[in-house]
Amino acid sequence: MRGAAPRQIREINRSLLLNLIWKEQQLSRSDLSRRTGLSRSTVSVIVDELLGDELVRESHVARSRGGRPPIVLQFSDERFFVVGIDMGATHVTAVRCDLRGRLLSRFSSRHDVQTDPEGALALLVHAVHEVIDQASDEERWVGVGLAVPCPIDLEDPDGLNPRILPRWVGHRPGQVLEETFGVPVSIDNDANMGALAERWWGAARNVDDFVYVKLGTGVGAGLYLNGHLYRGAGGLAGEIGHTSIDPNGPICRCGLTGCLEAMIGTGHLLRQIREADGPHAPSSVTGLVTAARRGEPSATAVIHEAGRYVGLAVANLFNLVNPSRVVLGGSLADAGELLVAPLRATLRERALHTTLAEGDVVTSRIGPDDVAIGAATHVLEAALADTSRLTRASPWSAAASLTSE
Ligand SMILES: [Zn+2]
């Protein structure tokens, strides 16, 4: 590596080894040397450092090849946690996960986030307390990932989009969390976080080209192309909710006409079912999905029509970026085949055969917490890319005692 200072080279090697140990969990020092091409002595020096920092531990339990079992290195999973928050338009969900994306604790509450930023900020802080208070004192807190229901400005992710969330002008949720808890906060769009969760732990593991479509109050897509999240030049990539599906359709909250979100967003679906069923109509998407599962005709029709509209948007996606999979998330995705069958029918009519043959439409394997788990994964991804974040992480009790609720 020409031009890199010795210190940088050591950082790169340290990150390389730690990532391998995290991924494989059963490697000896000589395995590490063989896999990376680094000398035994370089590996030894770095591993000693990692042991000293308690990032890894030694274990004698190894596959037996006869003779003395080699000492293998394992990542100290149990010493770390990450927090992910899904701040939706109408809810806040927080999760605490280990470094394998496993859920350790969870809190969720409904709130009108769009119109009440002060209340939402207080709820964010409360939600984080709820999930971290169950951690043991020694566990180290790597950071918070915050998923927000709007496209983000890559230059200033904490300044939320004024067109989608006008009441939030002047409010900075990332700054509030960072000042309250003293840990780093990373912010991204909710559909991007959902895509990340599905790629790391869910329905798109090892899939390099897929699209995650979040079907909730808002509708958005996370584009995972060539093995990376694709954000576009200004962070707006994937705003599928505001592509026009019907030029004569209803006016969307973005001001345009006939957007996908205006046709299938939660608000529109609930208005439709109320028009059909009157005062006894379901008042949430979960209720709507349950009614459709029971075979109630108007609920089934509303979801069927939504499936057709999502199909139109997904057909366009297929022709545009040729993903090998589409993963549907968000509350409407709970409808499963009731939604996916009409969607596939539309795809068969619309998408070019060549792209459809490779295509595959599935619902989230992680379920309703996928965006929050993706937000936590965002922190993990950053920490594996820059392992000094793990070294710097302090026991959560120290961080959280900066302030009390
Ligand atoms: Zn719109």
Side-chain angles (χ1 to χ4, degrees):
M1 187 147 305
R2 209 187 323 167
R7 208 189 125 111
Q8 276 174 297
I9 293 172
R10 219 182 60 188
E11 272 308 308
I12 291 165
N13 289 341
R14 182 182 154 101
S15 171
L16 185 66
L17 293 182
L18 192 61
N19 273 269
L20 258 181
I21 296 167
W22 179 82
K23 207 169 161 197
E24 308 270 336
Q25 282 289 49
Q26 289 286 320
L27 296 173
S28 67
R29 285 170 173 80
S30 53
D31 291 333
L32 287 169
S33 172
R34 194 165 35 77
R35 295 277 294 267
T36 59
L38 295 172
S39 73
R40 296 282 293 259
S41 60
T42 303
V43 167
S44 266
V45 168
I46 296 174
V47 165
D48 285 346
E49 236 179 65
L50 295 174
L51 287 166
D53 288 339
E54 297 179 316
L55 296 179
V56 303
R57 56 182 150 70
E58 292 181 317
S59 162
H60 293 266
V61 187
R63 66 214 171 248
S64 170
R65 288 204 210 103
R68 197 157 56 94
I71 296 171
V72 295
L73 296 154
Q74 294 183 327
F75 193 90
S76 303
D77 282 339
E78 70 291 345
R79 299 192 72 89
F80 295 92
F81 68 82
V82 286
V83 168
I85 307 174
D86 170 13
M87 183 171 87
T90 55
H91 72 273
V92 167
T93 298
V95 295
R96 181 168 61 91
C97 294
D98 69 8
L99 298 194
R100 305 281 155 191
R102 285 179 294 232
L103 198 63
L104 300 171
S105 50
R106 173 186 191 276
F107 171 87
S108 189
S109 178
R110 296 196 68 74
H111 188 83
D112 192 353
V113 169
Q114 275 186 106
T115 60
D116 177 23
E118 285 90 359
L121 289 170
L123 181 57
L124 288 182
V125 171
H126 175 74
V128 172
H129 272 291
E130 285 289 320
V131 295
I132 63 170
D133 284 354
Q134 298 155 36
S136 81
D137 286 354
E138 293 308 307
E139 283 179 60
R140 299 192 219 168
W141 186 3
V142 185
V144 176
L146 174 64
V148 295
C150 61
I152 56 147
D153 177 348
L154 294 176
E155 298 291 314
D156 179 23
D158 204 14
L160 304 186
N161 188 292
R163 191 154 179 176
I164 302 289
L165 295 170
R167 298 270 183 96
W168 280 77
V169 172
H171 294 283
R172 302 183 69 81
Q175 191 183 336
V176 168
L177 290 168
E178 235 167 66
E179 285 173 3
T180 308
F181 296 106
V183 293
V185 177
S186 59
I187 300 174
D188 205 338
N189 164 260
D190 52 8
N192 285 349
M193 299 285 204
L196 203 60
E198 297 296 337
R199 159 79 179 185
W200 281 60
W201 327 107
R205 281 185 88 157
N206 305 318
V207 181
D208 275 346
D209 295 277
F210 74 95
V211 178
Y212 171 88
V213 184
K214 180 179 169 283
L215 305 167
T217 309
V219 175
L223 306 179
Y224 217 94
L225 306 175
N226 265 332
H228 297 280
L229 210 46
Y230 179 76
R231 296 162 196 281
L236 280 171
E239 281 304 312
I240 190 179
H242 302 285
T243 53
S244 182
I245 291 297
D246 177 4
N248 303 314
I251 294 177
C252 179
R253 65 184 165 129
C254 74
L256 302 173
T257 308
C259 292
L260 177 64
E261 184 176 303
M263 312 289 289
I264 65 137
T266 304
H268 185 67
L269 297 185
L270 294 179
R271 264 194 304 281
Q272 278 183 307
I273 193 70
R274 251 194 326 270
E275 276 164 23
D277 285 359
H280 299 296
S283 59
S284 67
V285 170
T286 309
L288 176 67
V289 168
T290 309
R293 285 224 180 91
R294 277 199 305 264
E296 290 179 23
S298 41
T300 311
V302 166
I303 288 178
H304 185 89
E305 192 187 57
R308 300 285 296 186
Y309 284 128
V310 181
L312 287 176
V314 169
N316 292 340
L317 267 177
F318 265 117
N319 291 336
L320 201 62
V321 295
N322 189 17
S324 60
R325 192 164 299 168
V326 170
V327 183
L328 304 173
S331 46
L332 188 58
D334 291 345
E337 277 304 304
L338 291 170
L339 179 80
V340 176
L343 194 163
R344 286 201 191 103
T346 307
L347 273 183
R348 277 194 293 277
E349 295 159 17
R350 292 269 170 169
L352 296 176
H353 290 296
T354 46
T355 62
L356 183 61
E358 300 160 30
D360 187 16
V361 181
V362 297
T363 52
S364 163
R365 205 175 286 165
I366 300 171
D369 292 333
D370 58 355
V371 169
I373 289 174
T377 307
H378 199 242
V379 179
L380 168 63
E381 188 181 48
L384 288 173
D386 172 7
T387 57
S388 68
R389 286 171 183 248
L390 294 170
T391 317
R392 284 198 308 267
S394 50
W396 78 267
S397 45
S401 67
L402 283 177
T403 58
S404 56
E405 209 175 333

